[in-house]
Amino acid sequence: VQLVESGGGLVQPGGSLRLSCAASGSIFSINVMGWYRQAPGKQREVVAVITSGGSANYAEFVKGRFTISRDNAKNTVYLQMNSLKPEDTAVYFCDADVTTTARSRAVYWGRGTQVTVSS
C-alpha cells in the first residue's frame, strides 16, 4: 500500500491550497484517513481526520479555515486550506487506516508535501 501526497507549494498569507493524498495497492477498505503536519523543530500534529462515512474532526487551529474530504471510490483524501497563515508552514502528511485484500490491517503514511506560507 502506498500513499502519495500532492498539491503543496508556496503561497502568500491569506491564500489557498488544496492537498490531495491518493492511496493505492492491495486495498480492501480504508477506515479513517487523516492529515498531519510537522514544522521544523516541532512534533508532528494532527490537522484533521475523516471516517469512511464522512465524519470529520479538526484541530482547533484550523477550524473554519481547512476542510477535509474524501472520495472513497478513488481512495483519496483532500485538504482544502484557506486563509493560510505563516504559522501553517510545515510538511503535511496523510495517513490511512487500511485493511488489505489479505485482511491485514495497518496504518500507512505518505512521505509528505511541503507547504510554505510567505510573502
Side-chain angles (χ1 to χ4, degrees):
V1 176
Q2 288 186 322
L3 273 66
V4 179
E5 300 99 336
S6 61
L10 173 64
V11 63
Q12 291 187 341
S16 299
L17 282 175
R18 187 189 193 213
L19 306 183
S20 299
C21 171
S24 62
S26 301
I27 298 170
F28 175 74
S29 65
I30 302 178
N31 186 11
V32 178
M33 302 185 81
W35 286 99
Y36 300 75
R37 70 186 189 185
Q38 187 167 17
K42 295 187 177 181
Q43 290 188 332
R44 189 173 299 189
E45 58 185 358
V46 63
V47 175
V49 296
I50 186 168
T51 67
S52 57
S55 179
N57 283 287
Y58 298 89
E60 283 295 327
F61 54 79
V62 301
K63 281 186 178 179
R65 299 189 299 126
F66 293 7
T67 302
I68 189 171
S69 61
R70 64 190 280 177
D71 184 332
N72 292 330
K74 295 181 179 180
N75 291 329
T76 299
V77 63
Y78 306 96
L79 186 68
Q80 178 66 43
M81 305 186 294
N82 299 327
S83 302
L84 283 161
K85 305 175 182 180
E87 51 263 44
D88 294 318
T89 296
V91 178
Y92 284 70
F93 300 87
C94 66
D95 82 336
D97 179 359
V98 176
T99 298
T100 69
T101 53
R103 297 304 190 268
S104 64
R105 183 173 177 178
V107 175
Y108 295 85
W109 288 86
R111 293 189 175 184
T113 184
Q114 177 70 46
V115 171
T116 302
V117 184
S118 175
S119 55

